[in-house]
Amino acid sequence: MNMKKMLSFALAGVMALSLMACSAQNGGDSSENPSSPSSSQPGGETQNVDAPEAVTITSLNANKEPAELEVPYDPQRIAILDMASLDILDALGVGDRVVGTADTSLDYLQDYINDGIANLGTIKEADLEAVMACEPDVIFIGGRLAASYDALSEIAPVVYLATDTELGVVESVRQNAATIASMFGLEAKVEGLMADFDARIQALADAAQGHTAIVGLVTSGGFNVLGVDGRCSMISREIGFENIGIDAEIDTATHGNEATFEFIVEKDPDYMFVLDRDAAIQTEGAQLAQEIVENELVMDTRVYQDGHIVYLAHPAVWYTAEGGITALDIMLQDLESAVLE
């Protein structure tokens, strides 16, 4: 064999070893997960060889209590069973790591509902076999799947984040986004993503000052009032409408506490905010909230005559996705269009 051929074989061997090392560093053949980027850092950046293999975050456990959880650093395969977390991952630019997701009707997350991403069930009922089959490095869930925490933990670490009513929606989103960002080394992006929310809350708070409100949820043809301890709490806690629909010291049920329309007449609020649960979950054949609320009794009230009954325009976001960055933007838009214009 001449010298030229010997050099060619040697060069080919070096290249082969280099490719094998690259494949090992990125977790094997990239064809196993076509949606994952070829480099392990978002935006095509080269992975830092000094990056840790795992990081410890604070998440909720099966008992809905804060606990430390070790998760892989810069995970490449992500299973999503919580729309708020998917929203944050999308905003951070790492949505291409998603290999499976729960079904959703939310318009701004439809890019993740396709044949290339496994269907993992719903945010209320996970398909455990499908979750296992997509071989995730990490799984994200919300409160509706807390009972499945232990079963899912047998597959991969489970990140369970939630909105803390007392902390407030905006601050909860900020902290949850920071937690997720820390898993990818993207903490610096969070401040920019959250930049204008405080000012928007303040503008709404200025408009709400001195005004009373009832916050209600329409479901199965009935009207329930919501307090300051659950859904739509941002309207009272952060924006500052005085919620006169329920005693602040009394906990409200998951779907609010049942009320009559005479109750609205009696309370005579300045504003009424209405969440249409049936529209949010796409209940077939259900009446629209407006058809139920605007009866003879309510049409005789000041809040109706002043045009201050606000039907939250994106009920599915309020009901199923509170806690996401895009969700927060949409929720504030719903209030701004009704209160500031």
Side-chain angles (χ1 to χ4, degrees), residues 44-102:
E45 299 174 9
T46 303
Q47 183 181 20
N48 181 355
V49 294
D50 295 326
E53 291 185 2
V55 292
T56 299
I57 64 171
T58 299
S59 173
L60 300 179
N61 60 24
N63 297 321
K64 303 184 179 182
E65 300 166 339
E68 289 190 346
L69 176 71
E70 185 177 277
V71 296
Y73 180 74
D74 198 30
Q76 298 297 304
R77 300 180 65 82
I78 301 172
I80 290 286
L81 292 158
D82 174 55
M83 294 304 106
S85 295
L86 178 56
D87 184 344
I88 292 171
L89 287 162
D90 181 70
L92 289 170
V94 290
D96 53 2
R97 316 289 183 88
V98 174
V99 295
T101 183

Side-chain angles (χ1 to χ4, degrees), residues 14-341:
V14 170
M15 291 178 67
L17 288 171
S18 176
L19 287 170
M20 289 172 64
C22 180
S23 176
Q25 183 181 19
N26 286 286
D29 187 350
S30 62
S31 66
E32 293 179 3
N33 178 19
S35 64
S36 294
S38 58
S39 64
S40 60
Q41 288 290 346
E45 299 174 9
T46 303
Q47 183 181 20
N48 181 355
V49 294
D50 295 326
E53 291 185 2
V55 292
T56 299
I57 64 171
T58 299
S59 173
L60 300 179
N61 60 24
N63 297 321
K64 303 184 179 182
E65 300 166 339
E68 289 190 346
L69 176 71
E70 185 177 277
V71 296
Y73 180 74
D74 198 30
Q76 298 297 304
R77 300 180 65 82
I78 301 172
I80 290 286
L81 292 158
D82 174 55
M83 294 304 106
S85 295
L86 178 56
D87 184 344
I88 292 171
L89 287 162
D90 181 70
L92 289 170
V94 290
D96 53 2
R97 316 289 183 88
V98 174
V99 295
T101 183
D103 193 25
T104 180
S105 63
L106 296 168
D107 292 343
Y108 56 93
L109 295 178
Q110 286 306 295
D111 285 349
Y112 298 94
I113 307 300
N114 60 64
D115 292 339
I117 296 176
N119 185 324
L120 304 182
T122 72
I123 59 175
K124 292 181 67 176
E125 186 174 355
D127 182 338
L128 295 179
E129 290 185 2
V131 175
M132 185 178 298
C134 73
E135 300 180 346
D137 298 325
V138 66
I139 302 166
F140 287 85
I141 70 168
R144 293 175 174 88
L145 279 172
S148 299
Y149 181 96
D150 290 337
L152 289 165
S153 294
E154 294 293 322
I155 302 171
V158 175
V159 180
Y160 170 15
L161 302 173
T163 299
D164 184 328
T165 301
E166 293 189 7
L167 189 64
V169 176
V170 175
E171 191 57 33
S172 291
V173 173
R174 182 180 285 113
Q175 291 191 13
N176 290 345
T179 295
I180 294 174
S182 71
M183 297 169 58
F184 302 89
L186 295 174
E187 296 90 332
K189 294 190 69 172
V190 175
E191 184 176 351
L193 292 170
M194 299 294 299
D196 68 339
F197 288 130
D198 289 334
R200 292 171 69 183
I201 289 285
Q202 186 58 54
L204 285 165
D206 290 343
Q209 188 172 7
H211 290 298
T212 60
I214 286 177
V215 183
L217 178 144
V218 171
T219 182
S220 303
F223 182 79
N224 298 350
V225 292
L226 298 169
V228 298
D229 58 337
R231 289 187 176 91
C232 304
S233 62
M234 178 173 66
I235 294 171
S236 304
R237 283 191 179 270
E238 290 160 272
I239 293 170
F241 280 98
E242 182 189 352
N243 188 334
I244 58 173
I246 195 165
D247 189 322
E249 300 301 319
I250 300 176
D251 291 341
T252 49
T254 303
H255 297 139
N257 295 344
E258 189 175 352
T260 65
F261 291 109
E262 286 84 359
F263 178 81
I264 297 171
V265 174
E266 175 191 342
K267 289 294 184 179
D268 189 30
D270 298 323
Y271 282 83
M272 188 160 76
F273 298 91
V274 180
L275 173 58
D276 188 339
R277 177 177 178 268
D278 293 323
I281 62 174
Q282 298 181 320
T283 302
E284 291 187 12
Q287 282 183 282
L288 294 175
Q290 187 170 358
E291 296 173 351
I292 295 168
V293 169
E294 294 183 8
N295 53 54
E296 290 184 3
L297 278 173
V298 174
M299 290 173 69
D300 197 38
T301 62
R302 180 170 58 92
V303 67
Y304 172 82
Q305 294 172 359
D306 288 347
H308 286 173
I309 298 179
V310 179
Y311 300 95
L312 299 172
H314 297 86
V317 176
W318 287 82
Y319 192 73
T320 68
E322 181 185 73
I325 290 173
T326 299
L328 179 55
D329 175 45
I330 291 170
M331 291 161 68
L332 289 177
Q333 287 181 46
D334 283 356
L335 298 176
E336 289 162 343
S337 63
V339 176
L340 301 183
E341 297 179 5

